[in-house]
Amino acid sequence: MDFVQNFPFFSIILSMFSGIISSVLPKRAAKWVNTVMIILVGIFSFILLFYMIGRGNSYTYMMGHFPAPWGNEIRVGVLEAGMALFFCIIMILSLFGGRKKLDEELEESKHSLYYILADLMLSSLLALVYTNDLFTAYVFVEINTIAACGLIMIRRNGRTIEAAVRYMIMSLLGSGMLLMGICMLYDLTGHLLMSNIHEQVSALAVSGEYHVPLLVTIALMSVGLAIKSALFPFHAWLPDAYGYSTVSSAAILSSLVSKGYIFLLIKIIYRVIGIDVFDGSRIIDMLFAFGLMGMIFGSLSAIKENDVRRMIAYSSVAQIGYIYMGIGMGTQAGMEASVFHILTHAATKSLLFIAAIGLTDVSGGSRKFIDLTGAAYRNRWAGVAFAVGSLSMVGVPLFSGFISKLLFAQAAVQNHVKMLPALIVLGISTVLNAIYFMKTVIRIYTPVEGTGSGEGVTFKNMKIYVVTLVCFIILNVFLGVSSQPVVNLIGQGLAMFS
Amino acid sequence: MQYMILSVFFPVLAGVYLLIKKERGNRKYLLVSTGAFLVITAILVVLALCLGREGMFTLFSLTERLPILFKIDEISVVFSVLAVLIFLCAGFFSFEYMKQEKWEKKYYGFYLIILGVLLALCFAGNLITFYLFFELLTLSSFPLVLHERSKEAVMSGLKYLFYSLCGAYMALFGLYFVERYGNTLTFSAGGVISDQAVSNHMGVLLLVAFLMIMGFSVKAGMFPMHAWLPSAHPVAPAPASAVLSAVIVKAGVLAIVRVVYFVFGASFLRGSWVQTVWLTLSLFTVFMGSLLAYREPVLKKRLAYSTVSQISYILFGLAVMEREAFTGSMLHVLAHGLIKAALFLCAGAIIFKTGKTRVEELRGIGKEMPVLMICYTFVSLGLIGIPPTGGFISKWYLAKGALTSAIPVFYWLGPVILLVSALLTAGYLLPVTIQGFFPGEDYDYGALQKKEPSFFMIFPVLILTILSVVIGLLPEGVIGYLSQIIEKIV
Amino acid sequence: MIMLVILLPILTGILIPLIPFKKRKHMEIFLESLVIVNSLFVWYLMFHHTESIFTLANFTGNLSISFKMDGMSMIFGGLVSALWPLATLYAFEYMTKEEHEKVFFLFYTMTYGVALGISMAANLLTMYFFYELLTLVTVPLVMHTLTREAILASRKYLYYSLGGAAFAFIGLIFVIIYGNTTNFVYGGVLDLEKIGGRTNVLLLVYVIAFMGFGVKAAVCPFNSWLPAAGVAPTPVTALLHAVAVVKSGAFAIIRLTYYSFGTEFLKGTWAQNVVMAVVMFTIVYGCSRALKETHFKRRLAYSTVSNLSYILFGVTIMTPAGLVGAFSHLVFHALMKIASFFCAGAVMYQTDRQYVHELDGMGYKMPCVFGIFTLSSLALMGVPGLPGFISKWNLALAAVESGNSLAYWGIACLLLSALLTAIYMLTVVVRAFFPDKEFDRSLLDGIKDPGWKMLVPLFLFSIAIVAFGLHSVNLVKFFDSVAMGMK
């Protein structure tokens, strides 16, 4: 066994441990621990990724060398490593981008708490990505929920508490359903390790036994995770949670947390239930339909919204709709497109959130559209970044959004039944995206009388912010221009799942 | 050959020159130059007709298959001679008449351009050339209608424009199909449609022929597209009305002659539904025009309605598609041209001298301007068709042609309607004469003044009157001249 | 070399705000010379092009950004490069009255490169890419005046264009999946074996993509952005919204129809009838709206709507002859419409008059402008001897020859539209040259023809109009060879 194979385990433990020690550290130290930890984990994942590419197949890692059912297993493939790397990148960029805001909005005493929560969040995400054990997954889902609630409500005002409560309730409902699903699976199969369950489920599917319970299980788990990842119509908690929390939280929540759950769902589909069984159930059509509806209604809500952060939040609903549509197509290509869109959306949405905060800051803190007029002249970097993010979301070539759209559409064509609805909704949703994003871009680029350009906002006092934005933009363009290797990796990774 | 081109381009260029020349207020210079241009054009036309008869002349090509082509045949001769004559007369009349009007320079400029375009129409050797100049004719003649610039003039100018363009585009629709199904676009006696197309695409071709006839007959004021004519002709200055009514409407007639006899061929259309509809419409127009003229109180408008009716005589003759009827039509082209020009000039002279426009105001006019009114009476008689004037001969041939043809119903209905319309013509033209010379007992002779117009006005009217009578007296020359071409096409 | 002509204007555009010009004149000289140089390069390329495809970058799989100069590129690229220097010259004078010139010229010049990119794109994806880019670089131009109206117009423009592209995108996907290649190949690239029994789906997709690209070509019911975008400065309206942008929509449809789906696949199907009917409706609709419109530039914009559909009508006939008609109208309409727009712009520039009823008697004061306007009106109407007639002739002949009975109705639409064109254009001319008898000429005191920078382009356009009207044989021959797939 190569030493590298320990890295996933190290990553999880490292992040968890840094969370624990941060609780006794002062604010600055907590910040540094957090940064160093994320970078370290990122490096681990990076090395791991290359190792996996070289290795060509996945491996299972038994914690403490106890075999199942006593031990706990980690399973690593290209996709897992890549996802972990990507999560690290987004996380650190989000934190950097929102750092200034964080310093302003949070009480002095809460700072170290924030980093603890961030550390825990990362560790739970990593665990969700790597674990090969359903129960472990459940545990970390809960940790994730707690961390997320904390991230939402750490900025204290009435709205965030309400949002956090809402999130909590919906999220717990989701995890409850997931738990019930896991229990039933355990009942049916007697296993908790994914690979073992898979064998049993395939056998059950072949024999035709327990058809209904199996279906219910699939439904429970899918819906549970769908609630947690804010699939339409279970998205009610999302706009407030994303809209009012501090910006780093919003960026992390929208681009990482919901994506972690979706990744888990994909994993369950492949590794637990098996893609064939899943395809055969009606659940897939339901996800597809919800995805389509989300694409439309999320965008419609975004159009109606008069608050830029909430608008971006509603746009997330639509984007998550895209991802579920891809999953719902039930083809390899659709799944690849979904995974790619997870990346795209994460890179773009956090960019948008962070750019938006730069714009609102120079507009007297107001998030109403009318006050944002000309904001792009007051903060040029944020303006450009917002424009790039918008164009990417609308699906203009050169940016990552276009490639996702391309992949979705190509995938749609392969499924003869779902092709037309998918394509047409894709078209309509692009139009709707264009409407609300471009409206905003035009708004921020409309100069108003009597405002000088960029007073108080210079490169010097926003160094980190600007660098973050530039990194995000580069990430976006990278995904948009040289997408082929990424897509190949995803394909390889999905192949390793089974 | 070169005279043919020169006679087209010289007046056009002269007109453009007048238009772009700076206005200097030197009226005499303007009149002399216009007169000179007109005379030179006339000489060029005569030279062209005498010397340049043979062959075709291609000016340039629009596309590979669309040459702009000129050639002269008998039909061209008839129409071009008529055009030049009337333009000369009306032109000299204008020298006096236009004194009272503004924007004279513009008037003469367009006047000359129209002459050039008309000559080009007469000499056009193929359908596309014809269409080109047909459109140009509309565009260059409509400033004359607009000339007065009153609201009414502008409205009727636009009306004229749109009706004419509408007709032109209907014709253009046909043109596309002719290009496709014809052997060539060049006019040739007896038609150019290929036999194969005739057998395979009879329905489409008939429809196309119908559209082209209807389109071109807009210019000739045939029902149902006649409404522009009574409003456009009277609002122009009188000499312009004269050329509009006497010559420019004939461009429509010429177009139909070309389309029916030189493109589709009489034998193709004879007996088809197209002929029936066409006959019906033309007869209806004959009757309707006369009736409307009869009810019209304003003299110039009355004359315009009369044009509607008289042109449809010609169209009827063409629609019959028999030798004699065709001869009649051609004669009526000449007779009506001369007569209607004379009538409008008379009306213009009356307006110029007295400012009176309505018929009931003209009591005793004959006492005021006897020479003019005698001319008026003579040409009126001609239009009614009383022998021995030109109108009689032409109507005689028209009726004879109709009677000898084998078209059911129309062979007797046509002559009957022509006769009724002739009575109506008498009814609307002669009252002016009667009241003019015999104003009745209550007429105040004390207020009577001699208002005979000057030589410039009287002379053209006299010439036209004399010519119209001469045609009636000696029609054999014209008939003999036309018979060769009629031989070929009917 | 192809990259050079595309990138040079884009870079030039970016450079403009960066270089501190001492005088406005320096910027003018810099810009004009670069634009001319670029046009010369394009023309050089047209005569010395090679058959090979130049690939810039690979997207995913077999999708790449690549360029090639073929017959169609020569037509569109040649047209654009011939018009651009003149329009730039015109813009120098026009823009003296507007603010933030540099931003304007930045995007204006960039658009040149993007338009060339569209014309020389070698495959559907590249064209799509530049097509989206074209939308983005032209939006700031529409927004230029920053009035509320301009912003609303630019939003509308953006929504329509991006939305259209989103549906055109579906077509792109199907060509990727069902085609042998995405490169443009005359006659289409669809693999009939792959399609199997799904012909109807593909036809539906064609209609969707047609309408998607048709948004830029202002096909009804997606035309309302075009008149609204008339708030932009006139050089933009004239060059972009009468030529570069809208024609790129038509261009894209030609590529889609003849070079991707292929006419053999489409001809005689219900899809052909559907698109043809839509186009015919647009022809008439655009004209009748123009008739009702009293704003001078918007009237011309509606006229563009109708005329663009002439081009598309030629496309939907789906024969080489139809394509020839489409090409000739593509080129000739560009000349005629840019001339008439420039006239409208000159009037606005000199007098701030924007409505048709304010133009009474202007013909006396601005004889050159209105003379040229009259010429272009006549050309648009299709008076023989002017280019409008030639293109209409080609279109109608193609329609007759195709033997498609719907196409016969199309001829009727063309002619009806010509009549309406006559009405809405000539009423302007009549107003300008024949004002009412009681018209007070002193109202027009001080108005005169604009300066040479505006007049030179106008005169050159009018010369070109007359020249092409009288002698277009060689050009049409060239179109023929392109339409037969020989170039």
Side-chain angles (χ1 to χ4, degrees):
Chain A
M1 193 176 89
D2 294 315
F3 177 69
V4 190
Q5 294 190 359
N6 292 315
F7 279 4
F9 173 68
F10 288 170
S11 310
I12 298 174
I13 290 299
L14 186 64
S15 49
M16 222 163 171
F17 186 68
S18 57
I20 294 166
I21 58 164
S22 291
S23 57
V24 293
L25 289 177
K27 170 195 157 192
R28 284 185 62 87
K31 188 164 89 183
W32 279 114
V33 167
N34 173 277
T35 312
V36 169
M37 179 276 292
I38 297 177
I39 291 172
L40 261 180
V41 174
I43 292 169
F44 283 170
S45 315
F46 188 71
I47 297 169
L48 191 63
L49 177 63
F50 272 86
Y51 171 74
M52 290 315 297
I53 294 171
R55 189 183 152 97
N57 59 348
S58 59
Y59 68 90
T60 318
Y61 176 89
M62 284 179 286
M63 295 227 215
H65 300 283
F66 295 114
W70 302 282
N72 208 331
E73 276 187 9
I74 283 177
R75 191 191 143 88
V76 186
V78 172
L79 200 53
E80 283 91 337
M83 210 44 105
L85 171 64
F86 190 73
F87 281 174
C88 289
I89 296 173
I90 298 291
M91 184 113 181
I92 195 157
L93 288 178
S94 303
L95 283 173
F96 270 113
R99 181 144 297 166
K100 192 155 160 283
K101 203 67 194 157
L102 216 59
D103 293 343
E104 282 169 27
E105 283 180 344
L106 260 47
E107 297 154 43
E108 196 62 22
S109 56
K110 296 277 169 56
H111 276 105
S112 46
L113 181 60
Y114 192 86
Y115 292 109
I116 297 168
L117 288 172
D119 295 342
L120 283 180
M121 171 66 79
L122 186 65
S123 75
S124 65
L125 281 172
L126 290 173
L128 284 183
V129 167
Y130 285 128
T131 183
N132 194 28
D133 181 307
L134 262 188
F135 193 75
T136 318
Y138 173 71
V139 171
F140 279 98
V141 163
E142 290 299 350
I143 295 177
N144 197 319
T145 309
I146 294 165
C149 278
L151 286 178
I152 293 171
M153 120 182 140
I154 197 152
R155 178 185 170 209
R156 287 242 184 148
N157 62 29
R159 307 285 309 240
T160 54
I161 292 176
E162 189 197 325
V165 171
R166 251 195 196 173
Y167 177 69
M168 183 71 107
I169 294 172
M170 290 300 278
S171 214
L172 287 178
L173 183 66
S175 8
M177 286 166 93
L178 179 65
L179 184 60
M180 278 158 69
I182 293 174
C183 290
M184 284 178 74
L185 264 185
Y186 187 59
D187 250 15
L188 290 173
T189 62
H191 292 286
L192 280 173
L193 272 189
M194 292 188 184
S195 13
N196 299 352
I197 302 177
H198 188 154
E199 283 166 23
Q200 295 292 323
V201 169
S202 316
L204 283 179
V206 170
S207 67
E209 276 179 281
Y210 297 116
H211 181 68
V212 176
L214 196 58
L215 207 61
V216 172
T217 313
I218 299 173
L220 278 173
M221 295 208 292
S222 308
V223 173
L225 287 171
I227 292 176
K228 293 183 80 82
S229 51
L231 172 64
F232 180 90
F234 315 115
H235 66 284
W237 57 268
L238 181 140
D240 281 351
Y242 290 7
Y244 295 111
S245 55
T246 187
V247 60
S248 296
S249 309
I252 292 172
L253 282 167
S254 69
S255 45
L256 299 185
V257 177
S258 51
K259 303 301 174 315
Y261 296 136
I262 294 173
F263 190 78
L264 182 62
L265 179 63
I266 294 176
K267 213 164 157 169
I268 289 177
I269 292 171
Y270 271 88
R271 306 257 314 119
V272 179
I273 298 175
I275 186 88
D276 304 326
V277 180
F278 187 72
D279 278 353
S281 68
R282 280 294 155 86
I283 312 299
I284 189 167
D285 299 332
M286 188 193 71
L287 289 183
F288 180 73
F290 281 154
L292 291 189
M293 285 196 286
M295 286 160 73
I296 301 281
F297 289 103
S299 296
L300 285 179
S301 309
I303 291 175
K304 278 188 287 186
E305 199 48 68
N306 191 27
D307 173 325
V308 66
R309 289 258 313 259
R310 284 174 61 93
M311 181 199 89
I312 301 174
Y314 271 119
S315 145
S316 289
V317 177
Q319 301 299 327
I320 286 166
Y322 276 82
I323 298 174
Y324 275 97
M325 176 187 79
I327 295 175
M329 279 174 201
T331 55
Q332 179 78 11
M335 203 59 89
E336 276 175 30
S338 289
V339 175
F340 190 86
H341 198 62
I342 290 178
L343 307 184
T344 300
H345 180 231
T348 313
K349 201 40 69 70
S350 28
L351 169 65
L352 280 171
F353 268 120
I354 289 174
I357 204 71
L359 295 174
T360 52
D361 272 356
V362 289
S363 312
S366 166
R367 291 142 49 151
K368 299 273 169 276
F369 276 110
I370 187 84
D371 298 316
L372 286 179
T373 314
Y377 294 104
R378 298 190 285 271
N379 188 340
R380 286 174 187 280
W381 294 284
V384 171
F386 195 88
V388 168
S390 302
L391 293 179
S392 173
M393 286 280 94
V394 175
V396 173
L398 265 198
F399 301 114
S400 52
F402 174 73
I403 302 293
S404 323
K405 225 171 72 173
L406 193 72
L407 292 174
F408 275 126
Q410 280 180 322
V413 175
Q414 293 174 3
N415 186 323
H416 294 190
V417 183
K418 292 173 182 168
M419 170 181 72
L420 272 184
L423 285 178
I424 286 171
V425 171
L426 206 57
I428 293 173
S429 122
T430 308
V431 177
L432 297 175
N433 280 347
I435 289 178
Y436 59 84
F437 276 120
M438 288 301 129
K439 182 178 74 181
T440 319
V441 171
I442 288 178
R443 166 71 71 183
I444 62 176
Y445 274 102
T446 306
V448 279
E449 293 299 313
T451 45
S453 54
E455 13 169 90
V457 181
T458 54
F459 181 68
K460 254 187 188 156
N461 59 20
M462 305 200 307
K463 234 182 271 171
I464 300 176
Y465 181 73
V466 172
V467 169
T468 319
L469 288 182
V470 170
C471 289
F472 268 127
I473 294 174
I474 291 171
L475 190 61
N476 238 307
V477 175
F478 168 75
L479 285 177
V481 175
S482 57
S483 55
Q484 192 56 40
V486 182
V487 175
N488 287 343
L489 277 188
I490 293 173
Q492 215 178 334
L494 285 177
M496 284 185 193
F497 266 164
S498 36
Chain B
M1 194 82 72
Q2 62 275 33
Y3 295 116
M4 204 186 334
I5 298 306
L6 266 181
S7 59
V8 171
F9 279 93
F10 176 74
V12 172
L13 292 178
V16 172
Y17 162 73
L18 284 185
L19 283 180
I20 58 175
K21 192 170 66 87
K22 279 250 156 59
E23 195 135 15
R24 288 219 195 80
N26 188 349
R27 186 158 184 272
K28 201 162 189 181
Y29 172 75
L30 181 68
L31 296 190
V32 170
S33 49
T34 312
F37 291 145
L38 280 173
V39 171
I40 293 172
T41 312
I43 293 168
L44 283 171
V45 172
V46 170
L47 285 174
L49 295 184
C50 298
L51 302 175
R53 288 290 303 275
E54 318 74 34
M56 300 188 229
F57 179 78
T58 307
L59 192 57
F60 64 93
S61 290
L62 284 177
T63 73
E64 271 176 276
R65 290 202 56 194
L66 292 184
I68 296 296
L69 184 89
F70 295 100
K71 74 172 193 193
I72 295 181
D73 62 2
E74 285 77 3
I75 304 286
S76 321
V77 173
V78 171
F79 280 88
S80 57
V81 166
L82 178 73
V84 169
L85 262 178
I86 290 174
F87 263 79
L88 274 175
C89 293
F92 284 105
F93 183 88
S94 320
F95 292 161
E96 177 85 12
Y97 183 87
M98 293 303 288
K99 241 194 257 174
Q100 59 176 16
E101 302 266 339
K102 285 199 239 168
W103 306 295
E104 255 190 284
K105 192 172 69 91
K106 237 177 197 175
Y107 171 82
Y108 289 119
F110 283 113
Y111 192 79
L112 282 165
I113 293 177
I114 295 172
L115 177 57
V117 172
L118 263 175
L119 289 171
L121 270 181
C122 299
F123 299 154
N126 66 10
L127 204 47
I128 192 67
T129 315
F130 193 90
Y131 176 77
L132 162 63
F133 287 103
F134 194 77
E135 285 239 33
L136 288 183
L137 181 65
T138 306
L139 292 170
S140 54
S141 60
F142 115 103
L144 286 192
V145 179
L146 281 181
H147 193 81
E148 301 268 341
R149 307 281 172 82
S150 60
K151 207 160 191 90
E152 194 200 347
V154 173
M155 285 324 290
S156 38
L158 291 176
K159 202 169 174 184
Y160 167 53
L161 186 66
F162 303 139
Y163 270 83
S164 296
L165 286 177
C166 188
Y169 288 133
M170 277 160 81
L172 184 58
F173 185 87
L175 197 48
Y176 297 135
F177 286 84
V178 172
E179 150 81 23
R180 176 81 176 89
Y181 296 124
N183 299 320
T184 164
L185 280 181
T186 313
F187 296 135
S188 38
V192 298
I193 305 294
S194 66
D195 297 337
Q196 197 193 354
V198 170
S199 49
N200 291 346
H201 301 277
M202 192 70 180
V204 176
L205 278 171
L206 279 179
L207 182 71
V208 161
F210 178 68
L211 276 176
M212 288 184 84
I213 291 170
M214 292 310 290
F216 280 126
S217 66
V218 170
K219 199 88 183 188
M222 188 167 82
F223 178 86
M225 302 283 270
H226 65 283
W228 63 273
L229 197 149
S231 66
H233 283 184
V235 294
S241 313
V243 295
L244 279 167
S245 238
V247 193
I248 294 176
V249 288
K250 299 292 189 313
V253 174
L254 175 60
I256 290 178
V257 171
R258 293 297 193 195
V259 167
V260 173
Y261 295 94
F262 289 81
V263 172
F264 285 101
S267 53
F268 172 68
L269 291 174
R270 202 175 283 137
S272 66
W273 61 268
V274 175
Q275 190 189 19
T276 315
V277 176
W278 186 16
L279 281 169
T280 316
L281 286 174
S282 61
L283 279 181
F284 181 75
T285 318
V286 167
F287 180 69
M288 183 202 66
S290 304
L291 204 63
L292 288 172
Y294 187 71
R295 294 164 43 114
E296 178 58 54
V298 178
L299 182 56
K300 275 175 83 179
K301 279 202 175 169
R302 182 176 284 192
L303 294 178
Y305 277 119
S306 155
T307 303
V308 172
S309 159
Q310 297 293 330
I311 295 294
S312 280
Y313 275 72
I314 302 171
L315 294 183
F316 173 74
L318 295 178
V320 170
M321 301 186 202
E322 291 299 334
R323 198 168 299 170
E324 305 232 293
F326 188 84
T327 314
S329 288
M330 284 301 111
L331 283 173
H332 204 62
V333 165
L334 290 174
H336 173 257
L338 297 169
I339 291 169
K340 193 47 64 68
L343 283 173
F344 264 111
L345 293 185
C346 287
I350 293 170
I351 291 170
F352 183 73
K353 280 292 176 188
T354 66
K356 291 173 182 171
T357 56
R358 297 173 74 85
V359 174
E360 69 262 22
E361 296 169 337
L362 297 180
R363 280 176 63 196
I365 195 81
K367 306 275 177 194
E368 293 176 1
M369 9 178 122
V371 181
L372 190 77
M373 287 317 287
I374 288 169
C375 290
Y376 176 88
T377 311
F378 262 98
V379 292
S380 296
L381 292 176
L383 200 61
I384 298 161
I386 292 170
T389 53
F392 166 72
I393 293 293
S394 56
K395 284 185 187 179
W396 172 261
Y397 271 99
L398 281 173
K400 210 171 134 197
L403 284 170
T404 53
S405 77
I407 310 164
V409 184
F410 288 100
Y411 78 93
W412 60 268
L413 185 65
V416 168
I417 290 190
L418 295 192
L419 202 62
V420 173
S421 164
L423 288 178
L424 283 168
T425 310
Y428 63 73
L429 284 176
L430 289 183
V432 180
T433 311
I434 294 166
Q435 289 193 351
F437 284 107
F438 311 105
E441 301 204 336
D442 53 343
Y443 185 71
D444 178 12
Y445 281 93
L448 186 77
Q449 294 166 310
K450 277 286 171 201
K451 284 187 184 166
E452 198 68 72
S454 67
F455 167 76
F456 265 119
M457 286 188 148
I458 282 287
F459 184 68
V461 179
L462 260 176
I463 297 260
L464 289 169
T465 313
I466 292 166
L467 280 174
S468 77
V469 176
V470 166
I471 284 195
L473 292 173
L474 311 160
E476 290 82 7
V478 183
I479 295 169
Y481 180 67
L482 281 173
S483 60
Q484 329 161 6
I485 184 83
I486 293 173
E487 206 59 45
K488 270 188 249 164
I489 59 180
V490 182
Chain C
M1 188 71 177
I2 291 182
M3 274 327 288
L4 177 72
V5 295
I6 293 169
L7 286 181
L8 184 67
I10 295 180
L11 291 179
T12 312
I14 294 170
L15 277 180
I16 291 170
L18 300 181
I19 302 178
F21 292 105
K22 285 214 184 80
K23 276 190 202 153
R24 188 167 183 278
K25 195 152 197 167
H26 294 170
M27 184 189 76
E28 286 179 10
I29 293 169
F30 170 74
L31 200 57
E32 183 69 28
S33 50
L34 272 171
V35 169
I36 290 176
V37 165
N38 202 51
S39 291
L40 290 178
F41 279 149
V42 175
W43 284 81
Y44 174 81
L45 260 181
M46 280 169 61
F47 294 106
H48 296 92
H49 67 278
T50 51
E51 286 297 304
S52 62
I53 295 180
F54 173 78
T55 303
L56 177 68
N58 270 316
F59 256 129
T60 66
N62 54 353
L63 301 180
S64 62
I65 298 282
S66 42
F67 302 93
K68 187 187 164 187
M69 190 100 176
D70 66 355
M72 265 192 79
S73 322
M74 283 159 77
I75 294 173
F76 191 56
L79 175 71
V80 165
S81 59
L83 297 182
W84 218 281
L86 295 174
T88 308
L89 193 64
Y90 179 91
F92 288 144
E93 177 150 345
Y94 189 89
M95 294 310 289
T96 49
K97 285 207 176 166
E98 306 260 346
E99 285 170 27
H100 3 268
E101 273 181 282
K102 282 195 170 174
V103 181
F104 175 84
F105 283 113
L106 184 160
F107 288 108
Y108 197 65
T109 316
M110 279 173 80
T111 312
Y112 185 17
V114 176
L116 287 176
I118 290 185
S119 76
M120 294 173 197
N123 60 30
L124 206 49
L125 186 80
T126 314
M127 191 180 73
Y128 180 81
F129 169 61
F130 279 98
Y131 189 81
E132 291 263 35
L133 215 56
L134 185 65
T135 310
L136 298 177
V137 293
T138 47
V139 165
L141 294 172
V142 178
M143 243 170 76
H144 187 81
T145 53
L146 292 173
T147 54
R148 194 175 157 65
E149 201 192 355
I151 288 172
L152 289 180
S154 58
R155 267 197 215 168
K156 199 172 198 177
Y157 171 46
L158 199 56
Y159 300 161
Y160 272 76
S161 283
L162 289 179
F167 284 95
F169 178 76
I170 298 179
L172 168 71
I173 294 298
F174 272 77
V175 174
I176 291 173
I177 302 274
Y178 288 106
N180 300 317
T181 161
T182 53
N183 286 355
F184 295 127
V185 178
Y186 182 82
V189 297
L190 289 188
D191 185 344
L192 293 177
E193 274 177 26
K194 276 194 212 164
I195 297 169
R198 312 182 66 209
T199 317
N200 272 329
V201 176
L202 254 91
L203 290 177
L204 178 65
V205 167
Y206 171 73
V207 173
I208 290 175
F210 183 96
M211 298 307 288
F213 280 127
V215 169
K216 269 237 169 72
V219 167
C220 193
F222 306 116
N223 55 18
S224 71
W225 66 268
L226 183 57
V231 296
T234 304
V236 176
T237 342
L239 183 57
L240 305 184
H241 296 139
V243 184
V245 171
V246 290
K247 297 269 151 72
S248 71
F251 182 85
I253 289 179
I254 297 176
R255 286 290 201 197
L256 187 77
T257 311
Y258 287 80
Y259 290 77
S260 292
F261 276 82
T263 46
E264 241 164 68
F265 176 67
L266 298 168
K267 205 167 160 192
T269 59
W270 59 267
Q272 186 192 11
N273 291 337
V274 168
V275 291
M276 194 185 272
V278 169
V279 163
M280 278 159 51
F281 178 74
T282 312
I283 291 178
V284 177
Y285 173 81
C287 278
S288 46
R289 284 303 296 268
L291 204 58
K292 272 170 60 187
E293 184 60 60
T294 56
H295 188 277
F296 196 8
K297 269 171 74 180
R298 274 207 288 277
R299 176 176 286 193
L300 293 179
Y302 273 117
S303 151
T304 309
V305 170
S306 153
N307 273 286
L308 285 168
S309 282
Y310 282 33
I311 303 175
L312 296 185
F313 176 65
V315 176
T316 55
I317 294 172
M318 301 195 183
T319 58
L323 193 55
V324 172
F327 283 146
S328 30
H329 204 63
L330 188 110
V331 173
F332 294 152
H333 172 252
L335 285 172
M336 304 184 284
K337 195 44 73 65
I338 201 170
S340 46
F341 261 120
F342 275 4
C343 291
V347 172
M348 277 175 73
Y349 177 76
Q350 292 287 12
T351 67
D352 283 333
R353 295 178 185 216
Q354 302 195 350
Y355 286 87
V356 171
H357 54 79
E358 295 170 331
L359 299 178
D360 281 352
M362 298 275 270
Y364 295 108
K365 295 291 176 178
M366 303 175 80
C368 297
V369 169
F370 276 94
I372 292 166
F373 184 78
T374 311
L375 180 73
S376 64
S377 306
L378 296 181
L380 272 175
M381 277 164 58
V383 173
L386 292 172
F389 177 79
I390 306 281
S391 51
K392 224 172 275 181
W393 177 265
N394 288 339
L395 284 172
L397 271 196
V400 173
E401 269 166 30
S402 74
N404 182 337
S405 54
L406 191 64
Y408 290 174
W409 285 104
I411 305 176
C413 287
L414 284 186
L415 294 173
L416 176 60
S417 139
L419 181 65
L420 296 175
T421 308
I423 299 180
Y424 64 73
M425 293 301 268
L426 288 187
T427 41
V428 176
V429 175
V430 168
R431 268 185 188 284
F433 283 106
F434 300 96
D436 203 64
K437 221 192 304 194
E438 281 92 41
F439 180 70
D440 181 9
R441 286 210 187 185
S442 61
L443 288 176
L444 297 177
D445 280 349
I447 293 173
K448 59 176 197 297
D449 269 330
W452 68 271
K453 285 181 204 155
M454 284 188 169
L455 286 182
V456 164
L458 276 174
F459 275 113
L460 287 177
F461 289 142
S462 52
I463 290 168
I465 289 174
V466 174
F468 279 127
L470 296 181
H471 184 80
S472 58
V473 177
N474 291 337
L475 191 65
V476 172
K477 258 189 200 154
F478 172 68
F479 291 160
D480 248 334
S481 63
V482 175
M484 302 298 288
M486 288 189 287
K487 270 192 181 155

